[in-house]
Amino acid sequence: MTIGFIGAGKMAQALASGFIASRVASVDKLFASAPSMESLQGIKEKINNINVTTDNKDIVRKNDVIIVAVKPNILSQVLKEIAPVIRSENLIISVAAGIRIPAIEDPLPNGTRVVRVMPNTPCLVGAGASAYSLGTYAQSRDAETVNKLMSAVGLCEKVPESLIDAVVGVSGSGPAYMFVAIEALADGGVKAGLPRHLALKLAAQTLLGAGKMVMEIGAHPAELKDEVCSPGGTTIAAVHTLEKNGFRGALIDAVLESCNRSRELG
Ligand code: NAD
């Protein structure tokens, strides 16, 4: 299978790197387009020998699976541009935040197989969290293709399209909240006397470890939290401070804000 990316920015680079690292596709099977050779420089630097072109239609002609990874505000213009060369073999995968399936299908020829995916940037390191919804004409083999691709770069779940905005709020935008959390944990460590590099390493590994425990042990996070809170100890004192400062409420609000913004964009 060859895979063509239209748009060669952060998300295309994350997915392409992840596909190569997980051996779901070799570099000679990956193609990418962007408006100028200058705008293709980033992907060429990150992925040696990736096939590049400035012609979006060429990507559609040469590949059956097309991942459209342009900004949401130009998606419709790009779909109109490629519509005349769409073939029945093409599967169009959109990763644009907030753009709903009818708006993806509308500019394309009737019957085009479309899948809407909501990935996140940790796909770059094989730890992505993606959800996808099938378009009107997508078939079960298309779900299998998307599952294969996105599972190669992390977790992948199928959801009804009505839940995609909520997915944006949790995992699409979520890495940014966690980067803020890592930075803030490290700041706390520095304030308490740790060197910056050590504080950052400890903070990042702590988030990674906590996530792994939830995924691998399968216990409720509240249970895992209770296990590390000794009576009268340090951790429960810290948890009390988080609760007083509205930590849970802030995260819930963040998810809802992102979800609402995604609804507005759609
Ligand atoms: P980006 O700005 O890094 O990349 C956009 C790419 O599109 C660039 O390579 C640009 O040169 C190219 N481009 C611009 N006009 C084009 C055209 N007419 N034809 C072909 N290519 C064109 O953006 P990104 O962060 O990679 O986001 C891409 C998509 O991924 C967006 O729709 C976004 O909603 C979605 N997404 C991004 C993230 C994220 O964390 N970055 C997460 C989930 C979904």
Side-chain angles (χ1 to χ4, degrees), residues 178 181-190 192-210:
M178 295 304 116
I182 291 170
E183 191 191 5
L185 276 179
D187 281 344
V190 171
L194 290 177
R196 169 71 59 184
H197 72 278
L198 177 59
L200 257 180
K201 257 190 182 172
L202 291 172
Q205 178 66 17
T206 300
L207 256 84
L208 192 67

Side-chain angles (χ1 to χ4, degrees), residues 6-12 33-35 39-40 56 68-72 74 77-78 81 95-98 117-121 172:
I6 297 183
K10 290 183 285 297
M11 187 44 65
S33 67
S39 54
L40 286 159
N56 292 338
V68 190
V70 297
K71 289 286 187 200
I74 63 156
Q77 164 201 326
V78 167
E81 179 193 339
V95 295
V117 177
M118 187 59 223
N120 65 6
T121 42

Side-chain angles (χ1 to χ4, degrees), residues 76 79-80 83 100-110 112 114 136-137:
S76 147
L79 294 174
K80 278 184 198 138
R100 301 193 197 302
I101 287 169
I104 304 167
E105 289 177 339
D106 192 51
L108 297 172
N110 198 26
T112 304
V114 162
T136 316
Y137 309 101

